[in-house]
Amino acid sequence: MVVCRVFYMFCPCRKRSCNITQCDNPSSQYLEPWVNFTIPYRDSSPDQCHRYIFKETIGQLSSFPSSPYCVPENFDLTQQQKCSKDFKFRDEEYTISNEFGFFCSEEWKLNMVGTINNVGQFIGIPLGGLLADRYGRRTMLAIGGFLSSVMGIIRSFSANYYMFLTFEMLDMVVGSTLFPTAFLLAIELVGPKRRVAAATIITIFYSLGEALLGVLAEQFQNWRVLLRVLYIPAAIHILFLVLLPESVRWLLSQRKEDQAIAVLRKAARINGRTIADSSLEALVESNKEKLAESSETTYPIRKAFRRFSWRIANCSLCWFTHTLIALGLSLNSVNLGGNKYNNFMLNGLVQVPGLILPLFIMNPLGRRSSLCGSMLVCAICIGASIFFGKNGHATELTLFLIGKFAITCSFQVLYFFTSEIFPTNVRNSLLSLCSMIGRIGSMIAPQTPLLTNYYEFAPQILFASFGLVSGCLTLFFPETANKSLPTTMDEASNLNGKAKGKSDHDENI
């Protein structure tokens, strides 16, 4: 997923200018003295698609800068023409834009990569969630990660644009569920007191991965090589089938008590702890009682929709809002100035403190207050940029970083809410469903800059409005702080009640 974001962000940003036949030679650079009178400027940079007209019609020229043709008097600064597909580039990147010749009027094909990426996620996230709930978290991580590696490697050998698009989508279909599944596996393997810490570690490594990706993209500037560097190591995902334990909670929800006990015994042995047989027997009996009391099947997705329709709708809106704002801010990060790779790394690193903050606020303040407060802070910062953003680069950067920090914190809390308000046997499915709805927001976000054609601050108004509305609606979620993850529908329905005392085996899983 992050790989595709690199191509989506970096490819359109590669600076270029027309090759001026009357002036340029094979050793010419992106910026030469004659650029000032041969190419118009747009936003302090040479226009990437137009040049000034040469006054005389001359045949094929192989002139050099010393030629009398390369003088200001020979170029009409009042008339422009489109460039041919011959360009001078600012850097040495070799992107799909170079490979398949997507310049100027065809740059929409680069945006299509981002769209296809999100279409793949739209399909893959709910499908992966269903498979993870049916066949297990570990199985989905192993097989999905391995297949994603295969699709990425094949994509690096793409012979044409349409082959690249096809495997871009297939990669997302099989790999987009990896993060939500890994997140759920992490919090299902620990007790209530350790959920926040476990999930924070997972998401911090995700952000650090984004920052590292910026480093790798700068070192490997050929898109084919970069894909292989990123995807070949991912093939080891298949080893998760023997290296990772399965989720104890998932095993219990599937009535696989013997396997759950085996995982707990192994975990205790590795950690130098012991678990009394009586505790394990009590766990098994408690689980059987919960499942017996419930009239649910082992996969009651339809019943879940009937009982939690409002909760699912509110959760889906919240996910849509987060992906819209988070990606919208990320797209603007390349406009902060400076090195684009450094900007990408900064965009990843600024998320780390936003991921750590929930460790300190989610339990004392509760999930609802933390989620609502961070969303409102983000919305206020975005709204403030309308009035104060033009006061200088420092002000604009400060508001951007605070907004990104707040939405990252909010997104972290949202993951917890989504994973804690639904019962175990449909948890991955409903988390994936809400995440799938969120993909609509990420599809729309790249198009929001077009709103500036109607009003300069229309994107900020859109982001701030959704943030304020959805932030307030989060107060209608049940509070889940310091409560055990619900196993059955009834437990999930009763989350609004006060936390009950938890037995020892509840605390351990």
Side-chain angles (χ1 to χ4, degrees), residues 141 178-190 194-210 240 244 352 355 359 412 415-416:
L141 277 177
L178 292 178
F179 181 76
T181 302
F183 184 92
L184 283 181
L185 178 60
I187 69 169
E188 288 181 348
L189 284 173
V190 299
R194 300 291 183 268
R195 270 186 233 148
V196 177
T200 299
I201 292 172
I202 290 285
T203 47
I204 283 177
F205 274 93
Y206 181 89
S207 298
L208 293 177
E210 282 197 42
F240 286 172
L244 275 183
V352 175
L355 296 171
L359 279 170
Q412 177 78 330
Y415 258 106
F416 278 97

Side-chain angles (χ1 to χ4, degrees), residues 190-376:
V190 299
K193 293 182 179 180
R194 300 291 183 268
R195 270 186 233 148
V196 177
T200 299
I201 292 172
I202 290 285
T203 47
I204 283 177
F205 274 93
Y206 181 89
S207 298
L208 293 177
E210 282 197 42
L212 176 61
L213 185 54
V215 176
L216 293 176
E218 187 170 19
Q219 297 301 315
F220 302 97
Q221 297 193 7
N222 183 306
W223 69 273
R224 294 183 185 273
V225 175
L226 179 60
L227 275 176
R228 292 162 196 166
V229 168
L230 293 170
Y231 277 94
I232 289 176
I236 64 174
H237 271 81
I238 196 67
L239 298 180
F240 286 172
L241 287 172
V242 294
L243 295 178
L244 275 183
E246 183 54 89
S247 165
V248 174
R249 288 188 177 277
W250 180 81
L251 290 171
L252 291 174
S253 74
Q254 301 298 307
R255 295 180 170 85
K256 298 180 180 181
E257 289 89 357
D258 292 340
Q259 295 181 39
I261 290 176
V263 171
L264 290 173
R265 288 188 185 279
K266 183 178 180 180
R269 184 173 65 255
I270 293 175
N271 288 283
R273 305 285 294 274
T274 58
I275 302 179
D277 291 339
S278 58
S279 296
L280 293 175
E281 292 174 1
L283 171 64
V284 171
E285 291 302 318
S286 174
N287 185 67
K288 289 181 178 180
E289 290 176 5
K290 287 181 179 180
L291 296 179
E293 291 172 0
S294 172
S295 60
E296 306 161 15
T297 64
T298 58
Y299 195 65
I301 191 68
R302 293 182 180 178
K303 187 175 181 180
F305 272 99
R306 290 195 299 269
R307 294 190 67 170
F308 305 115
S309 56
W310 161 248
R311 196 176 294 181
I312 293 171
N314 194 10
C315 181
S316 298
L317 173 63
C318 205
W319 272 84
F320 171 88
T321 300
H322 278 76
T323 57
L324 176 68
I325 296 175
L327 182 56
L329 292 178
S330 295
L331 291 174
N332 286 324
S333 68
V334 297
N335 298 321
L336 296 176
N339 184 289
K340 64 184 177 183
Y341 299 103
N342 291 338
N343 290 342
F344 190 81
M345 287 185 280
L346 177 63
N347 186 64
L349 292 175
V350 76
Q351 298 176 49
V352 175
L355 296 171
I356 294 175
L357 180 62
L359 279 170
F360 303 97
I361 66 172
M362 285 179 62
N363 286 333
L365 299 181
R367 310 308 199 228
R368 286 183 304 192
S369 298
S370 300
L371 181 60
C372 176
S374 53
M375 288 187 73
L376 293 182

Side-chain angles (χ1 to χ4, degrees), residues 13-153:
C13 297
R14 190 181 180 196
K15 294 296 185 180
R16 64 180 184 274
S17 61
C18 297
N19 183 55
I20 306 300
T21 309
Q22 296 80 11
C23 298
D24 282 308
N25 62 59
S27 63
S28 297
Q29 302 299 312
Y30 168 68
L31 289 177
E32 295 284 0
W34 54 82
V35 170
N36 294 323
F37 58 82
T38 59
I39 299 175
Y41 271 65
R42 298 285 185 273
D43 298 324
S44 73
S45 297
D47 192 302
Q48 301 190 90
C49 297
H50 297 86
R51 53 163 291 178
Y52 290 126
I53 291 178
F54 187 62
K55 290 182 179 179
E56 299 181 26
T57 303
I58 302 176
Q60 294 294 323
L61 295 174
S62 58
S63 306
F64 292 92
S66 59
S67 166
Y69 297 115
C70 190
V71 293
E73 293 76 13
N74 287 342
F75 293 87
D76 187 348
L77 303 187
T78 64
Q79 297 187 62
Q80 300 177 18
Q81 66 183 52
K82 292 183 178 180
C83 300
S84 64
K85 290 192 175 183
D86 189 13
F87 298 94
K88 292 291 181 181
F89 294 94
R90 184 179 65 179
D91 45 52
E92 299 299 322
E93 281 182 326
Y94 188 69
T95 68
I96 59 172
S97 179
N98 302 81
E99 178 85 14
F100 305 122
F102 301 151
F103 302 114
C104 301
S105 62
E106 292 189 326
E107 281 192 347
W108 62 269
K109 292 182 179 179
L110 294 171
N111 295 337
M112 184 58 65
V113 175
T115 300
I116 291 297
N117 176 289
N118 283 283
V119 169
Q121 293 183 50
F122 194 85
I123 298 171
I125 287 176
L127 178 61
L130 292 171
L131 294 175
D133 279 337
R134 182 68 64 89
Y135 300 107
R137 300 2 179 175
R138 179 184 61 182
T139 302
M140 190 64 232
L141 277 177
I143 297 177
F146 178 77
L147 291 178
S148 178
S149 174
V150 171
M151 297 305 168
I153 294 170

